[in-house]
Amino acid sequence: MSQESARSPHRRSTGLWVLIVLILIPPVVIPLWVPLYDKTDPTLWGFPFFYWFQFLLILCSAILTVIAYLLSLVADRKDRGADR
Amino acid sequence: MNGVAVSVLIFLFLVVTVLGFAAARWRRADLNSLDEWGLGGRGFGSFIAWFLIGGDLYTAYTFVAVPATMYAGSAVGFFAVPYTIVVYPLIFLFLPRLWSVSHRHGYVTPADFVEGRYNSKTLGLAVAITGIVATAPYIALQLVGIQVVLQVAGFGGSSGFVKDLPLIIAFVVLAAYTYSSGLRAPAVIAFVKDTLIYIVIIVAVIYLPHKVGGWDHVFSTVQSSFASFNKQNAGAIAAKQASGKAFITPPIAQWAYMSLALGSALALFMYPHSVTGVLSTKNRGVIRRNAALLPAYSFLLGLIALLGFIAVAAGVKVTNPQQSVPQLFENEFPSWFAGVGYAAIAIGALVPAAIMSIAAANLFTRNIYRAYFRPNATPQEQARVSKLVSLVVKLGALVFVLALSKSFAINLQLLGGVWILQTFPAIVVGLYTRWFHRWALLAGWAAAMVYGTWVAYDQASPVQKHFGSPLAKFPFTDTLVYIACTAFIINLLVTIVLTVILRALHVDPGVDATSPGDYVADVDDPRVEPEIDPHRPAHA
């Protein structure tokens, strides 16, 4: 398959990219796992669980995406170093 | 009519108009090239991109429609939140590749990429047409958003033409500065729009619950009001003449909630206007950084959705649920701040409408006009055509909303989501592998388009005979899921099966115009030849 060669020629960062993808899996999977949070209790500041949990998910996935971004900077630096 | 509120609304609209025209002078460049007019010179940094993409994805219609569904008693409408959570990791992973290959080859639209990757103008055309027909009703819905605000503000007279005049003026002005400034206009206006929206919503979610008795009270009022509605209308609900109301997603609708979130997330960045926003950034890092920063808007959207519940608790009574939030502003805010609220929604409609019309115009110019009629069109000619088409698209949207029924636009928007998702295999899978055969992709797309349209047409609701719901029973089951997802599965199945067959028969797969390195190239990457000159015409 062509993407093999697309990824490999200059890449030292494959391990890091695996880590980045792993970090990005929960923000995709957990919001879609509806039975996990589709309930009223426990409430928080008057918010049913259904609502406050999803707000919390926004925060958590934003944090994970920031981490993924920082790791991608490291990965890019590694790759560029490999070319010089 | 609320004089103070309307004056504030008009004042802010005028400010935005001046900014829209002045945008032509910002980062001055020759606006007679498509890269400059249609992609802002591909030079936007993180800060601008955040406002532009945020302003682009979270449209006025979203701000009106999402709380409207909550107000109307469908907690499933809150799927907008998981949808906008799921979308960013996907953008983070997929779109930098699209950015790189587009930068390398001067692609302006997603259809350009598909055409180059699969060596198929026909597949490019399919992607382009899907993009245009999915975007057009979306633009029309932005007008619906403005209309709702104008109605609540009591703007305009009562007779036909006078009533529509403010909307017509707003759109003519929008068309004029989009024509002259291109993508720079919405980029500049997005600052104003988002600042207004953030102020209004933060004030609204702090001040309003406090005023009506706290969040606790909001949720319990909603719960009891929905429960009593269900009790009173138990017969009608059982007979499917009315829909039951639910304050959190009922267990039976969990698949619906999940598939709406997933399908919409996958569809979102297939829309030409989101691709336009992404391609206007100056490097790969901007896209990734924004994927981490844009969830701030998701938080906002969640709060806006809950405004629908606050409206219930505050005793807002409107027959058209879309008016619930503007009416809430009207009832609960001082006049001048209600005006700011109206302006936030109305201006919120202008930014996406501008970007969408630019994106649709670029698709027409690149993948229909240039591909089929004028292969040698110069960049100047392409920019000229795009500018004109952006006017036509907006005019079409205006006629749509004024002449045809509003529910027609909403139906088509529902179909738009179903349709646009069907370009995913060609675009996103194409970013990773060229294993799919071009004709298999075309067949999968066609099968899914037909299936999706037909099933959506077939859905009745208590108020409509056709296009009553984005949900339909998954084949051979009784579970309701988002039609776009079912169609997408059919699309993939057809594509995979036909790819195996066509490959076995050695049908010509065409020549790939891209090379593996193109997908990871960045501006300051030593591997990238100094080809990336923003002033150099695309495909020179």
Side-chain angles (χ1 to χ4, degrees):
Chain A
M1 276 203 286
S2 62
Q3 101 253 42
E4 288 307 314
S5 51
R7 294 225 146 221
S8 48
H10 297 279
R11 291 222 152 185
R12 276 182 175 182
S13 57
T14 315
L16 262 178
W17 276 104
V18 171
L19 183 62
I20 290 172
V21 171
L22 285 178
I23 287 176
L24 291 177
I25 287 175
V28 175
V29 173
I30 294 178
L32 297 178
W33 188 359
V34 187
L36 187 73
Y37 57 81
D38 190 14
K39 47 195 152 203
T40 324
D41 293 313
T43 56
L44 180 71
W45 300 317
F47 281 66
F49 184 73
F50 180 73
Y51 293 102
W52 70 257
F53 182 76
Q54 293 188 69
F55 278 108
L56 184 68
L57 273 183
I58 300 175
L59 285 180
C60 295
S61 43
I63 292 168
L64 287 176
T65 318
V66 169
I67 296 172
Y69 168 67
L70 296 175
L71 287 174
S72 78
L73 291 183
V74 179
D76 282 351
R77 216 171 302 135
K78 268 193 172 177
D79 286 335
R80 222 164 291 151
D83 290 322
R84 293 200 179 108
Chain B
M1 179 150 97
N2 184 336
V4 179
V6 169
S7 313
V8 172
L9 173 61
I10 294 178
F11 170 75
L12 288 169
F13 182 78
L14 288 177
V15 168
V16 158
T17 305
V18 172
L19 285 175
F21 283 108
R25 297 161 164 276
W26 175 53
R27 296 163 166 259
R28 181 162 249 182
D30 177 15
L31 285 168
N32 291 319
S33 97
L34 201 54
D35 262 25
E36 286 297 338
W37 182 82
L39 288 180
R42 301 185 194 249
F44 292 153
S46 293
F47 186 69
I48 301 165
W50 187 77
F51 280 104
L52 184 71
I53 301 174
D56 183 15
L57 302 187
Y58 300 83
T59 71
Y61 183 68
T62 321
F63 290 155
V64 169
V66 173
T69 57
M70 304 288 287
Y71 174 83
S74 169
V76 175
F78 206 71
F79 85 85
V81 169
Y83 144 43
T84 52
I85 298 175
V86 169
V87 74
Y88 293 112
L90 301 177
I91 286 182
F92 183 101
L93 291 173
F94 300 146
L95 290 188
R97 287 177 79 84
L98 183 64
W99 184 91
S100 293
V101 71
S102 301
H103 219 87
R104 249 325 185 31
H105 292 271
Y107 297 149
V108 179
T109 67
D112 281 348
F113 161 68
V114 169
E115 185 186 324
R117 176 68 148 168
Y118 293 99
N119 190 9
S120 169
K121 275 205 277 190
T122 320
L123 197 56
L125 181 69
V127 171
I129 289 178
T130 315
I132 293 170
V133 295
T135 307
Y138 218 154
I139 302 174
L141 284 191
Q142 303 310 315
L143 284 161
V144 172
I146 301 182
Q147 230 176 7
V148 166
V149 168
L150 294 177
Q151 279 162 0
V152 173
F155 213 114
S158 47
S159 67
F161 180 69
V162 182
K163 187 167 130 260
D164 296 329
L165 198 59
L167 185 64
I168 296 172
I169 294 172
F171 233 48
V172 167
V173 171
L174 169 72
Y177 59 67
T178 312
Y179 182 90
S180 71
S181 310
L183 196 63
R184 285 171 169 76
V188 169
I189 296 173
F191 286 104
V192 182
K193 175 217 156 185
D194 292 337
T195 311
L196 286 177
I197 295 240
Y198 273 99
I199 292 173
V200 170
I201 299 310
I202 290 169
V203 171
V205 298
I206 295 172
Y207 173 74
L208 293 178
H210 175 72
K211 209 176 160 196
V212 301
W215 282 107
D216 233 335
H217 177 73
V218 169
F219 284 109
S220 59
T221 314
V222 168
Q223 198 168 12
S224 58
S225 130
F226 286 0
S228 70
F229 174 90
N230 289 347
K231 212 168 178 183
Q232 280 165 20
N233 299 284
I237 294 168
K240 301 221 156 147
Q241 280 153 0
S243 314
K245 295 189 175 185
F247 135 92
I248 64 169
T249 301
I252 195 170
Q254 285 176 349
W255 275 102
Y257 193 83
M258 178 272 195
S259 61
L260 280 165
L262 177 64
S264 308
L266 295 177
L268 180 65
F269 57 94
M270 294 298 103
Y271 272 107
H273 59 271
S274 28
V275 173
T276 299
V278 165
L279 293 188
S280 71
T281 56
K282 69 176 177 215
N283 61 47
R284 287 161 67 93
V286 172
I287 303 170
R288 292 205 179 111
R289 198 175 309 141
N290 262 292
L293 297 177
L294 280 163
Y297 283 95
S298 309
F299 210 89
L300 190 72
L301 182 62
L303 295 174
I304 290 172
L306 292 180
L307 286 181
F309 278 0
I310 297 179
V312 173
V316 170
K317 296 267 181 290
V318 286
T319 40
N320 174 4
Q322 297 193 338
Q323 293 179 351
S324 56
V325 166
Q327 192 64 51
L328 178 70
F329 292 172
E330 170 85 24
N331 294 358
E332 303 290 331
F333 280 146
S335 307
W336 70 272
F337 198 72
V340 177
Y342 298 157
I345 300 178
I347 296 169
L350 301 178
V351 173
I355 307 174
M356 287 170 190
S357 66
I358 289 171
N362 289 349
L363 279 171
F364 174 83
T365 307
R366 300 280 298 182
N367 310 103
I368 298 177
Y369 181 80
R370 189 190 59 108
Y372 285 91
F373 300 105
R374 293 289 301 255
N376 298 320
T378 61
Q380 286 75 19
E381 185 180 344
Q382 292 182 32
R384 207 162 56 237
V385 172
S386 250
K387 285 178 175 183
L388 283 175
V389 174
S390 84
L391 292 182
V392 175
V393 170
K394 278 200 275 294
L395 189 70
L398 193 61
V399 171
F400 212 118
V401 170
L402 296 182
L404 302 168
S405 92
K406 202 164 70 183
S407 66
F408 192 48
I410 298 171
N411 294 341
L412 274 181
Q413 149 65 8
L414 154 68
L415 272 177
V418 175
W419 289 338
I420 200 71
L421 183 56
Q422 310 317 325
T423 61
F424 189 98
I427 300 172
V428 176
V429 180
L431 289 171
Y432 288 88
T433 167
R434 205 171 171 277
W435 182 74
F436 283 163
H437 195 280
R438 50 186 176 170
W439 301 123
L441 281 167
L442 195 66
W445 168 84
M449 293 289 280
V450 171
Y451 172 85
T453 310
W454 170 64
V455 173
Y457 176 81
D458 227 23
Q459 300 309 309
S461 77
V463 282
Q464 284 173 276
K465 246 177 101 185
H466 299 295
F467 301 111
S469 160
L471 305 168
K473 283 181 185 155
F474 193 79
F476 313 112
T477 68
D478 273 337
T479 311
L480 289 175
V481 299
Y482 185 27
I483 298 165
C485 291
T486 318
F488 182 60
I489 293 171
I490 292 174
N491 188 344
L492 283 179
L493 287 178
V494 172
T495 307
I496 292 170
V497 170
L498 283 183
T499 296
V500 172
I501 296 172
L502 290 169
R503 288 196 164 255
L505 296 175
H506 298 289
V507 178
D508 180 16
V511 181
D512 188 356
T514 67
S515 66
D518 293 345
Y519 294 87
V520 290
D522 204 348
V523 260
D524 52 349
D525 195 318
R527 270 175 283 140
V528 181
E529 295 93 58
E531 180 220 44
I532 295 153
D533 171 0
H535 300 291
R536 182 175 157 154
H539 279 272

